[in-house]
């Protein structure tokens, strides 16, 4: 099961991720990185090697990620990096990436700070254009340079959380709701 790159260029940390270990071609031509030494000692659904988030922001994001997985089964994972300082492909095994996983890679070196790898099961639940909408609104260079990388990450996480929880309908995920005020 191959993950689909939903928006922008992919950071090298997730180039070629797929659910069963095969490699796929990707848009980015960055050199692959595999630095398991940059992984945290204990499991967490958020890895911020770039220090974009404060410790309080990290705690709130982790709670959101854990609630989303508990309530919906969707495993949203966040990697904040500054290529080439990234654990890279080591995240695949660390997070046990599968068809129910969405990996949000936040990296300012790819132009658009938010990039997504979407597992097949999530791809069926969420309209394909949603990912480019999130990247276009919260990940574009103007937004994250004005509001900060932390806001881009937090608002992207909240928009995904809101979308995945929406009931099935033809209008599912058409409106981007960041829920930042409730975060």
């Amino acid at each position: 099961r191959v993950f689909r790159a939903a928006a922008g260029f992919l950071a090298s940390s997730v180039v070629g991720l797929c659910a069963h270990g095969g490699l796929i071609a990707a848009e980015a031509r960055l050199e692959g990185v595999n630095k398991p030494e940059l992984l945290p000692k204990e499991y967490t659904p958020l890895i911020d090697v770039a220090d974009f988030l404060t410790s309080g922001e990290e705690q709130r994001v982790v709670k959101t990620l854990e609630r989303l997985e508990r309530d919906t089964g969707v495993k949203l994972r966040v990697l904040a990096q500054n290529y080439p300082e990234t654990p890279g492909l080591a995240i695949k095994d660390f997070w046990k990436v599968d068809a129910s996983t969405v990996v949000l890679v936040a990296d300012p070196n790819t132009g658009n700070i938010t990039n997504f790898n979407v597992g097949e099961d999530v791809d069926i639940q969420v309209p394909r254009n949603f990912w480019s909408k999130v990247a276009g609104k919260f990940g574009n260079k103007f937004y994250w340079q004005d509001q900060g990388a932390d806001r881009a990450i937090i608002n992207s996480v909240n928009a995904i959380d809101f979308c995945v929880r929406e009931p099935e309908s033809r209008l599912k995920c058409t409106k981007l709701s960041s829920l930042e005020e409730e975060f």
Side-chain angles (χ1 to χ4, degrees), residues 46 52-53 57 60-61 64-65 68 76 78 104 106 113-114 116 130-131 133-140 142-164 175-183:
L46 168 77
F52 291 141
L53 303 171
E57 288 171 332
R60 289 189 301 274
V61 169
T64 299
L65 300 176
L68 180 65
L76 177 56
V78 178
L104 184 165
I113 198 169
T114 55
F116 306 94
F130 171 77
W131 307 105
K133 284 181 183 180
V134 173
K137 181 171 182 178
F138 302 123
N140 77 69
F142 301 108
Y143 183 88
W144 65 262
Q145 285 184 338
D146 183 49
Q147 300 294 317
D150 58 337
R151 296 293 98 193
I153 294 166
I154 291 167
N155 284 329
S156 295
V157 167
N158 287 334
I160 294 165
D161 181 65
F162 187 83
C163 168
V164 170
K175 181 179 177 191
L176 287 184
S177 297
S178 69
L179 300 177
E180 188 168 18
E181 63 278 357
E182 296 180 26
F183 188 66

Side-chain angles (χ1 to χ4, degrees), residues 28-128:
R29 297 290 181 221
L30 301 174
E31 184 178 327
V33 175
N34 189 13
K35 297 181 183 176
E37 66 274 12
L38 293 179
L39 291 170
K41 303 257 185 278
E42 295 182 25
Y43 176 84
T44 177
L46 168 77
I47 301 172
D48 185 6
V49 293
D51 291 324
F52 291 141
L53 303 171
T54 66
S55 60
E57 288 171 332
E58 284 186 22
Q59 290 171 6
R60 289 189 301 274
V61 169
V62 166
K63 284 181 185 175
T64 299
L65 300 176
E66 289 171 345
R67 278 193 310 263
L68 180 65
E69 184 173 357
R70 181 190 67 229
D71 297 348
T72 69
V74 172
K75 301 186 307 184
L76 177 56
R77 304 296 182 250
V78 178
L79 174 61
Q81 66 179 29
N82 202 339
Y83 179 84
E85 290 305 308
T86 176
L89 294 173
I91 64 168
K92 181 183 167 204
D93 291 332
F94 182 78
W95 281 332
K96 297 179 178 36
V97 172
D98 62 17
S100 296
T101 306
V102 175
V103 179
L104 184 165
V105 179
D107 188 334
N109 294 307
T110 58
N112 194 328
I113 198 169
T114 55
N115 297 284
F116 306 94
N117 283 300
V118 181
E120 287 179 350
D121 293 349
V122 182
D123 194 32
I124 293 169
Q125 295 175 23
V126 176
R128 291 181 180 235

